[in-house]
Amino acid sequence: MGLFFELIQVALGIRNRLSRKPTDEEWDCLYHTCQKQSIAALAYTALESLSEIGQKPPINLLYEWICLYEQIKQQNKIVNRNTVELCSKLEKDGFDCCILKGQGNAVMYPDPYSRTPGDIDVWLRGERSKTEDVRNIIRYVKENGSTGDATYHHISLGNYKDTEVELHYRPSHLYNPKHNRRLQRWFSKMADGGWQMAELPNGAGYIRIPNREFNIVFQLSHVYNHLLHEGIGLRQIIDYYYLLKSDVRGNKEEVAKTLKYLGLEKIAGAVMWVLHEKLGLPEDYLIAPMDERRGKVLLDEIIRGGNFGHYDFDNIKATSRLKKNVQRVKRDLRLMRCFPLECLWEPLFRVYHLLWRAYYN
């Protein structure tokens, strides 16, 4: 994986060349690993400078990489347009809305089109000073023709012009009930001053996104949740790289205190180690002490499962509800030593969540 992380560091501007020229077979492996992690378009941005120093991939692979980048660029343009239109519709229907992750993260990239887009995640609030009642959002979604079940933090709106949409009444959550209560109170407290306007590229329009302080906590909780639930990929870690790189200022002691209060200090240490050791983020930008032991576990999960764990063999073979629950227990046991509180509470949260869904759906 050494050449792979060198390629990503070139794309991030940390280094200007690879330690050696990859063989044709190694270039093919690099390309498919980038696809697995949903960062192929980002990696493509490194190829121009590498080609100038004689480290370009085989011509056929280069053409394929160019075509993939252009496809992702077009996808971004479509998702940008749909995001602006969707927010306008939601605001006309009486909601304040904020885009979580997705295109809000893409604007932090030097090339916003190099981030592989996913669905549109929207946090809805009925009033600026009060989180909208969960039932009202669920009712709104049902009235708009969606048949998706509500989960604890969001409900699927279905497709909006070929882009999947999830409407959030909670930005994220944790499994430990004490830390989850604290997290939800923190989200509510920070919401009123935690949104800012962002302009999408090429005149696509403006959207509201969380500010940096809010995103530091929210996106870390999102990484934590997906790591324990199904897996996390390098795209989400690179999102966090650009988030921290956006501003080195801030009270790191206050951030560390907040992360500890919310139960996020262990995952923060793991993410910081990966960011510094593998992506080359300078220590000045780190918001927590690096945790090598947990960082290596996080890195192993990233490599093992790819984007959101889609390439994890255990996830792939879990085709029934029973197998999925067994897989979740195996995952809890695998990560227990590093993240004991969340892993211990995860099976109990699943029972609670089953009752929650029966009540709200």
Side-chain angles (χ1 to χ4, degrees), residues 158-190:
N159 281 345
Y160 180 84
K161 297 185 178 180
D162 297 324
T163 304
E164 184 70 22
V165 176
E166 291 179 344
L167 301 183
H168 289 246
Y169 19 84
R170 300 180 178 95
S172 182
H173 67 89
L174 297 172
Y175 297 125
N176 180 296
K178 180 179 77 172
H179 290 151
N180 187 49
R181 283 195 300 271
R182 290 178 176 180
L183 182 68
Q184 301 310 324
R185 287 198 296 265
W186 190 89
F187 283 150
S188 296
K189 176 183 176 182
M190 296 296 294

Side-chain angles (χ1 to χ4, degrees), residues 278-328:
K278 298 302 175 180
L279 301 186
L281 182 66
E283 289 192 46
D284 288 348
Y285 291 93
L286 302 183
I287 57 170
M290 290 180 282
D291 187 328
E292 181 177 1
R293 181 172 70 90
R294 291 185 174 87
K296 288 181 176 179
V297 171
L298 173 61
L299 179 63
D300 182 66
E301 292 295 325
I302 289 170
I303 295 172
R304 169 192 176 104
N307 190 49
F308 284 145
H310 291 162
Y311 296 86
D312 189 324
F313 180 72
D314 287 339
N315 287 345
I316 293 171
K317 71 178 183 179
T319 54
S320 67
R321 185 178 295 273
L322 176 60
K323 288 182 178 179
K324 287 180 180 179
N325 279 292
V326 170
Q327 187 270 337
R328 294 280 292 278

Side-chain angles (χ1 to χ4, degrees), residues 11 30 45 94 142 177 223 228 254 260 344 357:
L30 288 171
T45 62
K142 300 293 186 182
V223 167
L228 299 174
E254 189 65 28
K260 184 175 182 179
L344 284 170
R357 293 177 72 171

Side-chain angles (χ1 to χ4, degrees), residues 14 27 50 57 86 142 155 164 170 173 216 226 291 335:
I14 297 298
W27 270 119
L50 290 177
L86 175 65
K142 300 293 186 182
I155 182 171
E164 184 70 22
R170 300 180 178 95
H173 67 89
I216 282 175
H226 273 283
D291 187 328
L335 298 173

Side-chain angles (χ1 to χ4, degrees), residues 22-30 58:
T23 64
D24 290 358
E25 292 75 17
E26 286 173 328
W27 270 119
D28 189 66
C29 183
L30 288 171

Side-chain angles (χ1 to χ4, degrees), residues 227 265-275 289-299 339:
L227 170 66
E265 74 277 14
K266 290 183 174 62
I267 187 62
V271 171
M272 294 306 107
W273 183 85
V274 174
L275 287 173
M290 290 180 282
D291 187 328
E292 181 177 1
R293 181 172 70 90
R294 291 185 174 87
K296 288 181 176 179
V297 171
L298 173 61
L299 179 63
F339 309 105

